[in-house]
Each structure stands twice: as structure tokens, then as C-alpha cells.
Amino acid sequence: MIFGKKDHLVGLDIGSSFIKVAELKVTGKGIVLHKFGMARTKPGSIVEGRIVDMPGLANDIRALFKSQKIREKNVAISTGGHSVVIKTINTATRPEKELHNTIYSEAEQYIPYDIDDVNIDYQVMGESEFSSDQMNVLVVAVKKDLVAEYIDLIHLAGLYPKIIDVDTFALQNVYEKLPSENLEIITLLVDVGASKTSLNMLKAKTSLMMRDNVSGTNQIIEEVLSRFDVTMDEAEQIVNGEANDIAGKESVQEISLEIAQSWCSEICEVVNTYQTSANDEKVGKIILSGGGVFVKGFKDCLLSEFGDDISIMNPFEALIVDKKKFSDSFITRTGPLAPIAIGLALRRVDDK
Ligand SMILES: Nc1ncnc2c1ncn2[C@@H]1O[C@H](COP(=O)(O)OP(=O)(O)OP(=O)(O)O)[C@@H](O)[C@H]1O
Ligand SMILES: [Mg+2]
């Protein structure tokens, strides 16, 4: 992979809690981490995946590019949540030309939106496991108004959106480049963000299941706000362990634990449902990312329910990192939050 001047891209993950930006450089020795930075998103700027405060967000993105001294204007961004539907469908094997019409005419059955309101993309995944006359096709539908909203935002920030990806794909993209992972083992990638969780179950670079749900660290903050007389900022500080002297700290820990256990149950259900439907084919490992990994009890709960093979993703392992530029503690702190931005930065303009 060579990033020429023309197809160089910056990965931009616009989270509802943190914006992350990553720029990579290809050298003879491998892909080097050139820039990585994060900035807090103002609370309420993005709600349920939709942009509420466009000028504010555009300013935050602009400021982040400035503080990181990133001059490149071509960006890859991603979307997720409610307005994105990902389905693997089973259809009769046919030439690519005919497939297009079939997907569009059948799409209404499995996409809960009006077909005129969505952009549809698809990829043939191979022969169906049920019949050699059938094939599996991965279909992605994204609401047009959501895409338009993000394009407007990027333009307002003075940048050019060259790729609009999906969070779960970006996560997969970085995972596949991690040096120490055995891609043959069935692996569940789980990114628990502030407002959503993205799941992608993979085997040998093929996705067996992808899904987003509304679990996230905001659940903890909302619960703290409803039970204690604190402001939004204070609630965030308590949850992030930055305000230890506030009364009721123990109760907050209990709330965190309860919610972490609910995430753990959801994940175990996904694993069990898959294992049952696939004749007990085992899910071999779970790799966690997103701010949720910092919530006490989450990983421990999975360890006790699932077994040993739970790890936290460090996407920087896919890259050459200059320790003088990015300290070990910076890498440890930001690693779990960085996969989607890095997965996006690894894309090229001519990628699909
Ligand atoms: N050290 C920490 N301890 C506890 N929680 C943390 C810590 N760091 C981050 N978080 C939580 O993680 C959240 C941010 O995670 P992340 O960056 O994955 O979310 P996001 O990508 O902005 O959200 P989304 O993808 O859902 O829009 C913060 O809102 C915070 O609650
Ligand atoms: Mg996120």
C-alpha cells in the first residue's frame, strides 16, 4: 500500500464524546503514525448519531486540525447507529449487472426505511453455506439525510470528505492489520462508545454478523444525573474517575458496575446466539475498544462469563510509533479510543 500525494487521507472519527484524528505515512519500513489527536465534543452536539450543533462541531474539528498541525484536507469519516443498516442477504447467484437490480428491488424487505431515502452499497461475500446456487451479499444502507449532514459538516470545517465509511468496517480494517492476531479464530470486535456500541463478528476477514446498539457510557452519566444533584460536567468527571472527593462516589461505582454488567450480558447473548445457530462453532476471542473499556468491572464481567480470551484493542500495534513523539502512557490512554480513526486513516481515496 502506497499513499501517494493524491490519495493521502486523514482518518476522522467524529464521536459524540470525542473527535479523533489520525494521519499516517507510508515508509519503506511500514506504516508510521504521523499525527494522532483527540478533542472533546461539546455535550449535545451529536444526539442519537445526528448532528445538532453543526457550527460548533465544525469549529471543534477545525481547532483539532490546527492544534495537531494537520494540513491535509482530504478526510475519511464514518457513520453508525440507527441510520445505518447492515445485512447479509442470501440470493440466487447471478451476474453483477443483474445483482444491482435485485438488491434494489428486494431491499425494501430488509431495510426499515423508504428505499428513496437511503444510499445502498453492497459486496458479494461468496457462495452461500446453504446452497451452491446461492450467494451471500453484504448490503449496507445509509440514510441519505445523515450522509448529507456529515458532508455539510466536513465542508463547513473546510475539509473534503473523500470516503464515508461505517464504524464497524473501520474497526475491522484496523483489526485485520494487527500483527499478532490469528484471523482464522472467530473474533468479536466490540466498540463501546459514549452513545452506541458497534459489534462485528469476524472469521478470516469475513463478517459473520454486524450490528450497532444504543449501549454506551452515556447510560452511566444519565443515571448519575437522575440520581444525584450534579451538573453534566460533574457527572462526567465522576464517571471518568476524575472527581474522587464527591459524595456518593460508591453509589456511582455501583451504577457503573450495573451498566457494565448489562453490556456484558448483551455481548454474551450475541455470542450464544451465534454459537447456537452455527452448530456450536465457538467464538474464540473478544476484542474491546471505545471509552467503555475504562468502565470498572466491564472486562472482569466478560472474563468471568466468557473465559480468558478478552483483550483491549491497541490499534497502534498496526503502526510504527516513534516513542519520542508518542509516549507509552499516551498510547495506553488513547489506544482503546483510537481504532476507528486509525481504521479510517488506513483507507485510500480509491478504496470502495
Ligand atoms: N479514563 C476513563 N474512565 C472512564 N470513562 C472514560 C475514560 N475515558 C473515556 N471514558 C468514557 O468514554 C467516553 C468516550 O468514549 P469514546 O471516545 O469511545 O466515545 P465516542 O466515540 O465519542 O462515542 P460514540 O461513538 O458513541 O459517538 C467518554 O464519554 C467517557 O464517558
Ligand atoms: Mg465512537
Side-chain angles (χ1 to χ4, degrees), residues 47-58:
V47 176
E48 292 175 4
R50 308 306 298 246
I51 298 166
V52 175
D53 178 11
M54 193 173 293
L57 264 182

Side-chain angles (χ1 to χ4, degrees), residues 13-20 38 40-41 46 167 191-197 215-218 221 236 239-242 289-292 294-296 333 336-337 340:
D13 173 15
I14 307 162
S16 59
S17 178
F18 282 104
I19 303 166
K20 298 93 170 166
M38 309 203 319
R40 205 163 239 305
T41 316
I46 299 176
D167 293 339
D191 185 277
V192 184
S195 61
K196 65 180 184 298
T197 290
S215 299
T217 58
N218 281 352
I221 290 166
E236 285 226 2
V239 172
N240 296 352
E242 294 160 1
S289 60
F294 296 110
V295 173
K296 271 206 179 67
R333 250 182 312 121
L337 306 177
I340 291 173

Side-chain angles (χ1 to χ4, degrees), residues 82-278:
H82 292 308
S83 308
V84 181
V85 180
I86 306 163
K87 287 256 159 73
T88 302
I89 62 154
N90 202 257
T91 188
T93 304
R94 64 189 92 220
E96 187 79 25
K97 265 197 289 190
E98 291 171 32
L99 185 63
H100 179 88
N101 290 342
T102 310
I103 299 289
Y104 274 77
S105 61
E106 288 182 4
E108 229 135 52
Q109 293 167 30
Y110 40 78
I111 293 165
Y113 300 116
D114 194 315
I115 206 73
D116 295 330
D117 293 344
V118 291
N119 287 323
I120 294 180
D121 204 350
Y122 58 86
Q123 196 172 358
V124 177
M125 303 305 284
E127 192 176 288
S128 158
E129 56 280 33
F130 306 113
S131 156
S132 58
D133 302 337
Q134 303 248 307
M135 59 187 181
N136 289 325
V137 183
L138 182 75
V139 180
V140 181
V142 185
K143 287 197 77 186
K144 283 180 184 165
D145 54 352
L146 176 91
V147 174
E149 209 169 88
Y150 277 81
I151 290 177
D152 285 350
L153 169 69
I154 298 305
H155 285 151
L156 194 61
L159 304 168
Y160 307 115
K162 293 292 173 184
I163 290 181
I164 300 176
D165 208 328
V166 173
D167 293 339
T168 42
F169 295 157
L171 205 55
Q172 176 172 352
N173 194 33
V174 71
Y175 160 71
E176 287 173 357
K177 294 184 175 65
L178 293 174
S180 52
E181 296 296 346
N182 177 352
L183 302 184
E184 296 303 317
I185 297 174
I186 299 183
T187 303
L188 180 63
L189 306 180
V190 183
D191 185 277
V192 184
S195 61
K196 65 180 184 298
T197 290
S198 303
L199 299 156
N200 192 350
M201 197 184 301
L202 294 162
K203 186 184 182 184
K205 299 196 175 186
T206 299
S207 180
L208 305 168
M209 190 264 343
M210 263 187 217
R211 139 172 0 149
D212 272 10
N213 66 39
V214 293
S215 299
T217 58
N218 281 352
Q219 286 173 280
I220 306 173
I221 290 166
E222 277 156 23
E223 199 60 35
V224 169
L225 279 174
S226 75
R227 289 206 216 168
F228 302 100
D229 184 22
V230 290
T231 64
M232 180 82 169
D233 277 350
E234 285 168 338
E236 285 226 2
Q237 282 173 24
I238 299 172
V239 172
N240 296 352
E242 294 160 1
N244 288 329
D245 50 345
I246 291 186
K249 194 183 93 190
E250 287 77 16
S251 315
V252 174
Q253 279 171 355
E254 259 171 48
I255 295 171
S256 295
L257 205 60
E258 263 170 44
I259 290 170
Q261 275 163 350
S262 74
W263 300 340
C264 178
S265 307
E266 280 166 12
I267 294 167
C268 289
E269 201 184 307
V270 167
V271 169
N272 292 336
T273 306
Y274 175 76
Q275 289 180 164
T276 312
S277 71

Side-chain angles (χ1 to χ4, degrees), residues 69-88:
K69 300 189 174 66
I70 297 175
R71 278 188 292 274
E72 178 58 55
K73 292 196 181 303
N74 288 338
V75 297
I77 59 167
S78 65
T79 54
H82 292 308
S83 308
V84 181
V85 180
I86 306 163
K87 287 256 159 73
T88 302

